[in-house]
Amino acid sequence: LHSFPTRRSSDRLANNWIELVTEQDTRGLSNYASSPIGSSRFENFKDEEVQLAAIHHLKPYMEDGALIVMGGDGSLRGARALYERGVQVVGIPGSIDDNIAGTTALGLHSAIALANESIESLKATSAAMGSVFFVEVMGAGSGHLALMCAYQARAEGLLVNEHPRS
């Protein structure tokens, strides 16, 4: 099954907008510096009725298989909710935060690659114009992404606004 940016994957499950994925559908996806799948939130997936509808729609595909969920915190929470209702689920961290112990999130590497492309362009402009640029990168309180991007870009300085969680 797959989901591309036109509709959220959990939204697809809840509304039975499910399509089979072929090898052809996935060819070349690793060449993207950013995710072609997209990112989104589907708050309704927290609702028990929406989860039950998703399970009902998944049944024809799940006889001898498992649902593979790649995503961040919200996606993996949704996967856990389905698992707790008896669905076989495999969760693959896909966030950019790299904050799940014992894993390396797939999104981290693509986020670094995309940031590096942008920073390299800024470095050329900076050298030509004698300007200084401040670059902000995402990363929900982990700081890993900012540190790795700064290292990759050979930045002259780094500010990380991070507060330990209590």
Side-chain angles (χ1 to χ4, degrees), residues 33-145:
S34 183
S35 174
I37 297 172
S39 177
S40 62
R41 300 281 184 260
F42 183 53
E43 293 297 320
N44 291 347
F45 206 73
K46 294 176 183 176
D47 183 352
E48 181 179 354
E49 288 181 31
V50 175
Q51 293 170 13
L52 292 174
I55 292 169
H56 174 74
H57 297 137
L58 280 170
K59 276 190 181 178
Y61 305 97
M62 301 296 294
E63 187 175 312
D64 293 322
L67 175 66
I68 299 173
V69 176
M70 181 177 69
D73 185 57
S75 297
L76 295 179
R77 285 178 193 266
R80 182 178 180 168
L82 295 179
Y83 171 77
E84 289 172 351
R85 296 186 178 284
V87 176
Q88 292 296 315
V89 178
V90 175
I92 301 173
S95 72
I96 63 171
D97 303 326
D98 200 31
N99 59 358
I100 300 174
T103 70
T104 299
L106 299 176
L108 176 70
H109 301 290
S110 62
I112 292 169
L114 183 59
N116 190 50
E117 286 179 19
S118 300
I119 291 169
E120 287 300 316
S121 296
L122 289 174
K123 286 168 58 176
T125 302
S126 176
M129 305 294 288
S131 303
V132 175
F133 287 93
F134 291 89
V135 177
E136 179 180 5
V137 295
M138 295 172 55
S142 64
H144 293 85
L145 182 60

